[in-house]
Amino acid sequence: MSDNAATRAIDESAFQGRSGTQRGFGGWFIDTGWRHLVAFAALLFALFPVYWVVMGAFDSSGSLATQDLVPQDVSLDNFRALLTDDGHPPFWTWFWNSMKVCFVTSTGTVLLCASAAYAFSRMRFRGRRSGLMGILFIQMFPNSVAVVAIFLILQRIGDVFPALGLGQLSSLVLVYLGGAIGIQTWLIKGFYDSIPHELDESAKVDGATPFQIFYKVILPLAVPILVVVFLLQFIVTINELILAEALLRGNESNQTLALGLSAYVNAGFDSRWGPFAAGSLIAAVPVLVIFYFAQRYIVSGLTAGAVKG
Amino acid sequence: MADIVFDQIDKIYDNGFQAITDLNLEIRDGEFMVMVGPSGCGKSTALRMVAGLEDITEGELRIGDERVNEKPPRDRDIAMVFQSYALYPHLSVFDNIAFGLKLRKMPKPEIREKVEYAARILDLTEHLGRRPKVLSGGQRQRVAMGRAIVREPQAFLMDEPLSNLDAKLRGQMRAEISAIQANLGVTTMYVTHDQIEAMTMGDRVAVIDRGLLQQVATPRELYLDPDNVFVAGFMGSPPMNMAEVTVEHDGDALAVQLDNGRIAVGPALLDRRPALRDYVGKRVIMGIRPEDVKECAEHTEIPADRRLSVRIDLVEALGSGIEVHFAFPAPRPDQRTGRELSEEVSVVGELIGEQPGANAWVGTFGPRSFVRNAETVDIALDTDQAYFFDLDSGLAIRH
């Protein structure tokens, strides 16, 4: 049966291929060519902003209004304006702050969500279903909706523990962590669910405690999804502006990249576009580096999460 | 090493399903005990209770005279081989085998020594550095065995360890596992639905159906002297032929009345099972193994009062013999006989367009028989080797 079906499929495709060549370009375009066109349009749509920022960074005219599609005058002037010239902004402080916030938030997210997902996937306890549904519902309200409440909470906490009050990076990390748990826990749980239970049972009989099963069997197998969660969280965090603006506004020395750059470009109206583009370009480097080292996990992690999560 | 004792064990799942009812079974020290039964009969549940992976609802489970009901799996000192092998995909073969030893904080040189020893036994030495996913099914199975062996546990538990292998490899691994177990002398509980595995591997075999233990005995005893109609029908391939018949006097001896004609009961059987005389005038289930259905042309020694003329529906030549299928002139028993669980019976029934209600029988003739499809031949039933069961209780009529 299946052999016949396969042969028929091959015959049909061979037939189509022949008729395509006979019908010439028009036939080819109707069969397959239009897909190339759509793909090309999508690529253009996705890549143009990137191209514009890269060109902006190296275009010495330095403003949005005067930037050309192909810059007339390529130089590193914008980078100098941002990093070394007199009156340059504290870019490296922003960068360093962002790195701290992103790494701590992403690592924390992975640790928290990996453990929470293990409980939800492998243990049977009262409130398990409602707990899972609960974090999903809470996740549906964006953090920015709660920004006033968060602001007030941190204000009060700051009265008692200044290190966790307004204007502190550590408190920003805590807020980010709280916001991340929902969807990432679901993503990781979906991946765990696809790991056969026999492996747990086998480890159990071999003498492992629940914690040993977690870090010796489940965690190593879940590395792809953990890498993906780390990366997604890193990108979300480095781009986050609304909460950072609300919570860090008062403290000049604790600005993040997104916050600092947006304030910098807003203050200069049009004239600081070039240095801003240069800053964005530098900010993209850490993400690219992580992507480079993690890419072998990313595809398997994303697809596994997509199917089961 | 230790014995394993099920003492009045019940298992009722949370949804109310009773998987095991009042199981009493002793697996002796060093014994290879096979649990066999149709799927869903509760045999895996019993095994998982020994492993500690299922709670015990009622009764006591003892390993080496010690109650283990409440003990977590890691404290029971048992090793388990899973149907799916459950190898850790992220670890090399060496680390898979060493996993349990590392958890027990055994010194590294000792671990290496034990793993290498197990690898030698199992012919895995050259694969120690590889990951499970590049191994063949048989090799994976051996890694799972190795993981159990190095632990030197009190007991091995095996849950259908061969059912993912192809037929040839299964035969080979059957022999290997038996040999390894005999060498190590570790108490072993082996669960399977395959009665050939049960017959060839077990020191003793426990037959389970619908959560109830049917019989525990050596393979030979199970085959030659089944306790009840289920065990009789379940063990054996092709399965035992059965029919509902009436016992009658035949002079001094007995005979059974069929729909048309009668068959004399062998005198040797009557000597062994005098209780059959109490059933005169009653309906009973008669069972005859396919090898005791003979071709008259080849077996002239069988008396004429045990002969029957039948039309052959299907002939299957197996080389070593010929299986003939025919309709027997007496009704099929209504009881759950274990026969209907054999795939072979229903498939052949469909194949030969069996009438609903017709009682399809199988006989194995010698390889030189000339019987052909749709031919009418005289067959002889060796009723000295027949089995009789009480119609109501399904128990064997023995004394």
Side-chain angles (χ1 to χ4, degrees):
Chain A
M1 271 299 275
S2 65
D3 269 6
N4 280 341
T7 328
R8 207 181 315 129
I10 290 166
D11 287 343
E12 270 169 18
S13 69
F15 176 70
Q16 271 179 1
R18 197 163 55 244
S19 74
T21 44
Q22 278 166 356
R23 276 186 292 164
F25 179 79
W28 171 82
F29 185 82
I30 291 168
D31 275 348
T32 47
W34 64 273
R35 293 170 224 225
H36 294 251
L37 203 65
V38 171
F40 186 73
L43 264 181
L44 202 66
F45 187 73
L47 289 181
F48 183 73
V50 180
Y51 173 81
W52 194 251
V53 168
V54 173
M55 289 306 128
F58 292 100
D59 188 331
S60 57
S61 70
S63 93
L64 201 50
T66 56
Q67 184 182 343
D68 287 327
L69 201 56
V70 180
Q72 310 262 312
D73 194 3
V74 176
S75 77
L76 293 176
D77 284 353
N78 293 328
F79 289 89
R80 284 188 208 103
L82 186 70
L83 303 175
T84 54
D85 284 356
D86 284 346
H88 71 88
F91 179 80
W92 290 119
T93 311
W94 300 341
F95 187 85
W96 176 234
N97 285 341
S98 265
M99 287 305 103
K100 280 192 288 190
V101 169
C102 288
F103 271 101
V104 175
T105 304
S106 306
T107 312
T109 302
V110 167
L111 290 179
L112 276 176
C113 297
S115 332
Y118 179 65
F120 279 123
S121 168
R122 288 306 204 258
M123 296 173 184
R124 294 290 173 269
F125 50 89
R126 191 184 286 250
R128 175 176 166 272
R129 281 188 65 83
S130 44
L132 271 172
M133 282 301 150
I135 55 176
L136 196 64
F137 279 130
I138 293 170
Q139 187 73 33
M140 286 175 184
F141 301 96
N143 252 341
S144 42
V145 171
V147 69
V148 177
I150 291 172
F151 185 87
L152 291 175
I153 292 172
L154 289 183
Q155 199 173 38
R156 292 291 175 81
I157 292 177
D159 292 344
V160 189
F161 301 110
L164 291 179
L166 286 174
Q168 298 299 321
L169 293 177
S170 46
S171 54
L172 186 68
V173 168
L174 278 187
V175 173
Y176 285 160
L177 280 179
I181 284 177
I183 201 72
Q184 309 283 41
T185 303
W186 270 86
L187 203 61
I188 300 176
K189 177 193 171 286
F191 194 89
Y192 285 172
D193 286 347
S194 68
I195 298 175
H197 281 246
E198 279 95 349
L199 291 185
D200 301 45
E201 292 182 340
S202 174
K204 221 187 259 182
V205 174
D206 270 346
T209 61
F211 184 68
Q212 282 172 324
I213 296 173
F214 177 54
Y215 83 83
K216 283 192 186 244
V217 178
I218 304 290
L219 273 191
L221 291 175
V223 164
I225 197 71
L226 300 184
V227 168
V228 166
V229 164
F230 184 93
L231 193 75
L232 291 180
Q233 193 58 39
F234 197 95
I235 294 170
V236 167
T237 308
I238 205 168
N239 287 330
E240 206 285 330
L241 183 60
I242 297 173
L243 280 169
E245 194 165 29
L247 304 182
L248 298 178
R249 193 201 304 264
N251 194 335
E252 277 300 318
S253 63
N254 276 354
Q255 306 278 294
T256 60
L257 269 178
L259 191 50
L261 279 175
S262 91
Y264 173 75
V265 76
N266 284 342
F269 301 103
D270 185 27
S271 64
R272 286 172 175 175
W273 164 249
F276 173 78
S280 307
L281 215 54
I282 298 173
V285 170
V287 178
L288 283 179
V289 170
I290 298 175
F291 250 109
Y292 177 78
F293 285 110
Q295 59 185 341
R296 72 192 175 105
Y297 295 113
I298 286 168
V299 174
S300 64
L302 276 178
T303 50
V307 174
K308 295 288 282 186
Chain B
M1 266 153 267
D3 55 349
I4 301 170
V5 178
F6 292 83
D7 190 354
Q8 299 185 319
I9 298 274
D10 281 316
K11 171 71 188 184
I12 302 168
Y13 280 104
D14 290 340
N15 61 12
F17 176 71
Q18 178 140 15
I20 303 239
T21 310
D22 194 28
L23 175 61
N24 289 292
L25 177 65
E26 186 196 351
I27 304 172
R28 297 174 198 139
D29 191 4
E31 184 175 39
F32 197 122
M33 171 70 81
V34 177
M35 276 193 156
V36 67
S39 56
C41 73
K43 55 193 191 296
S44 281
T45 306
L47 184 88
R48 291 168 58 83
M49 287 196 294
V50 179
L53 298 171
E54 297 282 354
D55 292 332
I56 295 165
T57 314
E58 198 82 49
E60 187 171 87
L61 181 73
R62 293 189 291 272
I63 301 179
D65 285 337
E66 193 186 350
R67 178 186 164 97
V68 294
N69 288 36
E70 292 79 20
K71 270 194 176 183
R74 63 175 174 278
D75 296 332
R76 294 190 184 197
D77 195 17
I78 35 118
M80 186 158 167
V81 178
F82 291 80
Q83 180 176 356
S84 61
Y85 317 136
L87 302 181
Y88 311 117
H90 58 294
L91 299 179
S92 67
V93 169
F94 183 96
D95 289 329
N96 260 286
I97 298 177
F99 189 80
L101 304 180
K102 284 183 181 165
L103 288 176
R104 282 174 172 68
K105 307 255 185 303
M106 186 180 276
K108 283 236 169 81
E110 208 175 322
I111 292 182
R112 174 155 291 279
E113 192 183 313
K114 281 181 191 293
V115 173
E116 280 170 358
Y117 170 72
R120 252 196 325 277
I121 296 183
L122 295 164
D123 201 14
L124 285 170
T125 307
E126 60 194 291
H127 304 297
L128 281 176
R130 308 169 84 180
R131 292 282 171 91
K133 71 172 176 201
V134 302
L135 300 183
S136 70
Q139 288 163 340
R140 286 180 207 190
Q141 216 288 323
R142 269 179 238 187
V143 177
M145 280 295 295
R147 206 163 54 179
I149 290 174
V150 291
R151 293 260 319 279
E152 297 176 13
Q154 297 213 47
F156 289 148
L157 307 177
M158 306 195 190
D159 190 359
E160 310 232 6
L162 302 184
S163 43
N164 283 357
L165 301 178
D166 61 59
K168 190 178 162 207
L169 210 49
R170 207 179 304 155
Q172 185 189 336
M173 286 308 295
R174 245 180 4 227
E176 278 186 32
I177 291 179
S178 294
I180 289 169
Q181 195 273 342
N183 266 335
L184 301 175
V186 179
T187 313
T188 301
M189 183 172 169
Y190 184 107
V191 160
T192 180
H193 67 273
D194 178 354
Q195 45 128 340
I196 295 177
E197 278 174 31
M199 296 295 278
T200 53
M201 300 176 82
D203 291 331
R204 286 194 302 159
V205 178
V207 183
I208 299 187
D209 181 41
R210 295 190 283 197
L212 286 165
L213 184 61
Q214 304 291 320
Q215 186 173 3
V216 193
T218 61
R220 184 186 159 86
E221 219 179 315
L222 275 186
Y223 191 78
L224 295 179
D225 191 15
D227 270 355
N228 60 40
V229 76
F230 179 85
V231 176
F234 191 71
M235 303 304 287
S237 174
M240 185 188 284
N241 300 302
M242 289 182 187
E244 208 182 299
V245 297
T246 311
V247 182
E248 285 179 351
H249 280 298
D250 181 27
D252 245 4
L254 296 181
V256 293
Q257 182 64 45
L258 312 178
D259 288 352
N260 50 2
R262 61 197 304 200
I263 296 277
V265 175
L269 180 84
L270 211 51
D271 287 346
R272 270 185 292 145
R273 312 263 189 247
L276 193 58
R277 290 186 187 278
D278 304 339
Y279 283 83
V280 170
K282 291 185 191 160
R283 302 286 277 172
V284 295
I285 299 170
M286 178 177 73
I288 291 192
R289 297 259 180 220
E291 60 266 31
D292 297 324
V293 175
K294 302 193 165 155
E295 190 179 6
C296 289
E298 287 191 341
H299 291 269
T300 44
E301 78 281 3
I302 296 180
D305 58 0
R306 296 174 217 172
R307 296 188 178 189
L308 195 65
S309 195
V310 296
R311 185 178 173 277
I312 302 299
D313 290 319
L314 177 70
V315 174
E316 289 178 292
L318 304 176
S320 61
I322 289 177
E323 279 182 15
V324 296
H325 298 254
F326 57 91
F328 190 74
R332 189 163 40 191
D334 293 331
Q335 272 83 354
R336 181 177 171 86
T337 58
R339 262 189 109 250
E340 60 275 11
L341 297 165
S342 163
E343 286 164 20
E344 207 172 332
V345 174
S346 54
V347 169
V348 169
E350 245 167 63
L351 219 63
I352 61 182
E354 185 190 317
Q355 303 289 318
N359 188 357
W361 274 38
V362 182
T364 39
F365 290 177
R368 287 171 194 84
S369 164
F370 288 108
V371 177
R372 280 191 307 257
N373 276 350
E375 203 175 17
T376 302
V377 294
D378 285 338
I379 57 162
L381 304 181
D382 185 354
T383 45
D384 279 331
Q385 310 302 334
Y387 301 80
F388 288 93
F389 305 93
D390 186 284
L391 192 61
D392 298 322
S393 65
L395 294 177
I397 299 169
R398 271 186 165 151
H399 302 294

